[in-house]
Amino acid sequence: MSAENKAENKMDKIISLCKRRGFIFPGSEIYGGLANTWDYGPLGILLKNNIRDYWWQKIVRENNDIVGLDASILMNSKVWEVSGHVAGFTDPLVDCKACKKRWRADHLLEAKGLKPDFEPDVELVDIKCPECGGSLGAVRQFNLMFETNIGPLKDEGSKVYLRPETAQGIFVNFKNVLESQRKRVPFGIAQIGKAFRNEITPGNFVFRTREFEQMEMEWFVKPGTDEDWFETWKNFMWEWFKNLGVKEKDLRFYEHPKEKLSHYSKRTVDLEYNFPWGWGELWGLANRTDFDLKQHSKFSGQELSYRDPETNEVFVPFVIEPALGLTRALLVLLLNAYEEVETRSGNEDGKHETEIVLRLHKAIAPIKAAILPLSKKEPLAKLALEIQASLAGSMMTQYDETGSIGKRYRRQDEIGTPYCVTVDFESLEDKQVTVRDRDTMAQERVAIADLRNYLINKFL
Ligand code: GAP
């Protein structure tokens, strides 16, 4: 199998697993769908929330100098004019004259090893449509912001944008947070929320969508200390994914060349992941300097500087920004966890089958434990349901009483459940259950009275 087919194959398998087991469904499916929109199902939302909570834990709860924020998606349009998004948040678009397929002109040039430089309105004569070989039209700059209107009138005055990044909500609240929380530089403001971009080429499942979620943190520092802080956050990003079990061979940093930096950035480094189709951006780290605060200060007329209480020095802080896509992180964690193994458990009929095991880190696994009674009948079912009830509120569990025990283990392995608790006939006598570990497959007898604490300790 070619590398390309293998890559498609893995993505197809993950997309199919996500649909079959209730992680991610195609959006608006009963109406024929809406291309590149995805709905998170019961397991998907648990996984997404767990990843979000893990980020919030490491960024906000474990750092006394970082506070949270949840700003509006709709903001005054001035914000996007001043931030540079109205004028500059564009991608170069080109249409095939024959098949009408739309392409990112910079991607086509890069694929040919050419520099993505072009004059506006000039046709890409040397390059043909990768789909049909047809000629391409003129390159046009296309603004990625979605527009809508506030109120009943659809005119220029009522125009607003859906935010293309959560960051601006943080900058416009800089003063509010600084004053209400009495923070001292360096400090950070973190925010998680939806962002929208009218991408020209969405795709690769949830890798690039037009509606997605971001987890961003703006770290405000004294000018001159920014370069050191940049290194600190760069290391943090690597460690965050490493701690979630992502294989280091699939991670690397990519330094943006100076000529490709965004209008606000002095330096940008992406943490990249080795996706089935090649290396791609996962987590961007930018030194945004004092660009945003100075712009907002200039155009709002508000003072957005900081006075050091010890030295009385006044300055506009520089900003180091680690910006991660929550939904893109979820895809990476699924890709990293997905494994196919030969039948490991409950191979009753001696057949060799391929099983899927999602080796998700325990902290983010959607279901923490499955309760499996060996018989559907009383009194085993009653005991098993009591055990499940005793865990409610402490962790997400699933109760499964159908099929052989081997099949039930496989069902749980497929969704990444770290522990299976088997309730057997002996449990009625000795008041113990068997706990099976997803990864080592080791089985341990645990007293029912200790089970809750035993499992809680596994997740600490
Ligand atoms: N505030 C800076 C900023 O938004 P970015 O590199 O454009 O920077 C940050 O976006 C992260 O958001 C990316 O590294 C990626 O993980 C995620 N992201 C960006 N566009 C996305 C899209 N269309 N679909 C899914 N995730 C996206």
Side-chain angles (χ1 to χ4, degrees), residues 165 167 197 199 207-209 212 214 216 264 281-284 288 321 323-325 328:
E165 62 169 12
R197 295 181 189 178
E199 299 280 2
F207 174 77
R208 183 176 286 111
T209 48
F212 57 100
Q214 286 190 315
E216 299 198 290
Y264 53 72
E281 176 182 345
L282 170 57
W283 196 338
R288 290 183 83 126
E321 174 196 67
L324 174 61
R328 195 173 285 185

